[in-house]
Amino acid sequence: MFGIGSTELIVILIVALIVIGPAKLPEMAKSLGKALGEFRRVSTDVKRTIEMEAEQSEQKVKTEQAKKELFPETAATAEPEAAAAPAPDQPAEQPTVKATENEKDKA
């Protein structure tokens, strides 16, 4: 546990008993235990979330590779279409309307 030996732990408990007092020490120990338990639960939850995200990403890559292997003609035709399509974060180009000389003469 944190590299603390039994002698150091006894000294820490004696100092805590003197500083905090015998009445408050059980309360402090209980709240410290709850805080450590909550920290452990949260860290385990974060670890599981990261592992799930990594697994989903890996599964997505494997699925794309399998599609390319099974349907090479579909992947080959889909790539140029994807390259020609504008990125979702970039605005699409608006068609420009040019007036012909006849329309300019009428105005």
Side-chain angles (χ1 to χ4, degrees), residues 40-57:
R40 188 174 296 152
R41 278 191 292 275
V42 168
S43 63
T44 302
D45 187 40
V46 169
K47 182 179 175 184
R48 281 189 205 145
T49 303
I50 291 171
E51 288 173 353
M52 274 198 308
E53 290 293 329
E55 186 177 322
Q56 286 175 352
S57 175

Side-chain angles (χ1 to χ4, degrees), residues 18-81:
I18 293 170
V19 172
I20 297 172
K24 294 274 186 175
L25 191 61
E27 278 182 41
M28 295 293 283
K30 185 177 178 180
S31 64
L32 181 65
K34 284 183 180 182
L36 288 175
E38 183 66 26
F39 178 75
R40 188 174 296 152
R41 278 191 292 275
V42 168
S43 63
T44 302
D45 187 40
V46 169
K47 182 179 175 184
R48 281 189 205 145
T49 303
I50 291 171
E51 288 173 353
M52 274 198 308
E53 290 293 329
E55 186 177 322
Q56 286 175 352
S57 175
E58 184 178 309
Q59 187 65 30
K60 185 177 179 182
V61 169
K62 286 182 180 179
T63 303
E64 290 174 1
Q65 288 176 348
K67 284 182 181 180
K68 286 180 182 179
E69 290 176 9
L70 293 174
F71 307 109
E73 65 280 349
T74 306
T77 58
E79 288 176 9
E81 291 173 6

